[in-house]
Amino acid sequence: MPPLFFKGFYMQQIKEILVGVQMLFVAFGALVLVPLLTGISPAVALLSAGIGTLCFQFFTGRQVPIFLGSSFAFIAPLSLAIGQWGLAATQGAIIAVSLVYLLLALLVRQLGTGFIDRLFPPIVVAPVIMVIGLSLAPAAANMAMGLSGDGSTMLFAKGPALAVAAVALLVTIVIALYTSGLTKLLAVFAGIVAGYTCASVLGLTNFAAVRDAAWLQLPPVTAPAFDINAILFLLPVALAPAIEHIGDIAVISQVCDKPFMQKPGLHKTLAGDGIAVAIAGCLGGPPVTTYSEVTGAVSITGAKQPRIMIYAALTAIVLAFSGKLEALLRQMPTPIMGGIMLLLFGSIAA
C-alpha cells in the first residue's frame, strides 16, 4: 500500500486517541466529584469507570459510543450508606444494585421497552430525583462556609471559604450559561480548576501530601461485604439512573442515526451497565453508568466511533495509577466542592 495511506491511517488513530482523552475530561469533573463527596477513592473511581466502560463495550459488541461515569443519583445514598454501614457493606449493596439493571435487561428482552414508560412515568421518577438533589443542599451550604458536611467542624475560616466557593460557583455558572460546544461541557471541571487556583492564592491548600505521593501506586481497591440493611437501603435508588440510561440510549441513537434500542438492543446496554456497576462494587468505586455529558459531547464533536470511548477508558485506567493525582484530588479544599454542589444539587432538583 502507498505510504500516504499509512500516514493517513496513523494520523486518524492519533486523532481518535486525542478525542478519547478529551472525552474523559468531559466526564472528569463529575467522575471525580462523586467519590470525593462520598468518601470513595478517586483513583478507584477512575479505575472502575475505565474497566466498566471496557466491559460495556465488549458486552455490546463495540457498537455504542458510550463512556460510563459516576451517577449523581447515588451521591446522597452512598454518603448515608458509607456513614451507616461502612464502605465494604456499601460495596456489597452496589453489587446488589447491579441486579436491578440485569433484571430490567431481562424484562426488556422479554416484554420490549413499552412497559418501562408505564411502570416509571415522569410523575414517579421526578420526586425521587428532587429528593436526591435537595437532601444534600445543607451539606453544600456548610462546605461552602468552610465547615464539614454535617456542620459540626470548622475546617477553614468563613471569609476565605466563601470567596473560594463563590469563585468555583461563578466560573461553573458562567461557562455553563455563556459558552457553547465542548467548552460548555467542561463547566464543572473549569469550576474545580478555578476554585483550586483561588484556594491556593488564599492559602487554603496544602500540597505536602502531593509532594510526598508516589508517581505510580496501586489504587486502594477494597473487598466488599454484604449487609441486608445496606442492600435494602440502596436498591430503590437504582431506578432513577436506570431510567436515565434509557434516555441516554435514545438520545445517542438519534445522534448517531442508528437504532441502538434494537441493535445491540436496550437489554444488552442495560446489562452492560449492570456488569459495570457490579465491577465498581467489587473494586470499591461508585456505581458507573451511562453518562449524559459524554452523550452531549458526541453530538457536538461528531466523535461517533466506539473505539474512541475505549481510548478514554484506557486513559482513565492509566490515571488511576497516579499517586500524585490521587493526592491532589483528596486534598481539594471542601469550599470548592461546596460551591459547585450548590449549583449541582439545585440543578438536579430542578
Side-chain angles (χ1 to χ4, degrees):
M1 293 186 181
L4 287 177
F5 172 83
F6 287 107
K7 182 179 179 180
F9 174 79
Y10 286 117
M11 289 299 294
Q12 179 65 23
Q13 293 298 308
I14 292 172
K15 179 182 177 182
E16 289 185 354
I17 290 173
L18 292 176
V19 173
V21 174
Q22 176 181 263
M23 286 294 177
L24 174 63
F25 280 97
V26 167
F28 196 82
L31 178 60
V32 169
L33 195 61
V34 172
L36 286 175
L37 294 175
T38 55
I40 293 174
S41 165
V44 178
L46 286 167
L47 183 65
S48 300
I51 295 177
T53 298
L54 293 179
C55 290
F56 177 92
Q57 290 296 336
F58 175 79
F59 197 79
T60 57
R62 293 180 298 175
Q63 298 182 59
V64 188
I66 287 290
F67 177 86
L68 305 186
S70 307
S71 172
F72 289 139
F74 286 103
I75 292 176
L78 284 178
S79 299
L80 293 171
I82 292 173
Q84 182 73 27
W85 296 286
L87 178 59
T90 303
Q91 289 178 237
I94 291 172
I95 294 172
V97 162
S98 70
L99 300 178
V100 175
Y101 282 86
L102 297 176
L103 177 60
L104 285 175
L106 180 62
L107 291 174
V108 168
R109 181 175 182 179
Q110 297 297 322
L111 304 176
T113 60
F115 84 99
I116 294 286
D117 296 329
R118 296 190 296 271
L119 189 60
F120 304 117
I123 197 171
V124 172
V125 177
V128 176
I129 299 175
M130 289 174 65
V131 169
I132 290 170
L134 295 175
S135 62
L136 277 181
N142 287 333
M143 294 170 72
M145 291 187 291
L147 303 173
S148 57
D150 58 7
S152 62
T153 306
M154 177 170 285
L155 305 176
F156 301 95
K158 187 175 183 179
L162 285 173
V164 170
V167 168
L169 175 61
L170 289 175
V171 168
T172 305
I173 290 175
V174 168
I175 291 180
L177 292 181
Y178 298 108
T179 63
S180 59
L182 188 63
T183 305
K184 185 183 183 74
L185 295 172
L186 293 171
V188 171
F189 182 72
I192 291 174
V193 172
Y196 228 129
T197 303
C198 181
S200 297
V201 171
L202 295 177
L204 303 188
T205 54
N206 183 354
F207 295 105
V210 180
R211 290 193 297 269
D212 295 339
W215 282 102
L216 292 176
Q217 71 177 30
L218 293 175
V221 173
T222 54
F226 295 92
D227 185 302
I228 187 61
N229 296 305
I231 291 172
L232 292 177
F233 174 76
L234 212 56
L235 274 180
V237 186
L239 296 178
I243 300 302
E244 181 185 5
H245 170 93
I246 297 170
D248 286 338
I249 298 301
V251 171
I252 201 69
S253 297
Q254 295 177 356
V255 169
C256 298
D257 196 24
K258 292 183 178 180
F260 293 136
M261 288 283 196
Q262 289 75 41
K263 183 181 179 183
L266 182 60
H267 61 289
K268 284 192 175 182
T269 63
L270 277 168
D273 257 25
I275 292 171
V277 170
I279 289 171
C282 290
L283 295 175
V288 288
T289 58
T290 50
Y291 213 56
S292 300
E293 282 85 345
V294 174
T295 303
V298 171
S299 175
I300 291 169
T301 63
K304 302 175 183 178
Q305 294 295 333
R307 61 176 172 267
I308 290 174
M309 303 305 169
I310 293 177
Y311 295 141
L314 293 174
T315 304
I317 293 172
V318 170
L319 290 178
F321 287 84
S322 170
K324 289 193 179 295
L325 177 62
E326 161 86 0
L328 181 65
L329 295 172
R330 281 194 177 276
Q331 295 299 312
M332 184 185 300
T334 53
I336 299 175
M337 293 184 285
I340 295 175
M341 283 167 61
L342 289 171
L343 173 65
L344 177 65
F345 298 135
S347 299
I348 291 173

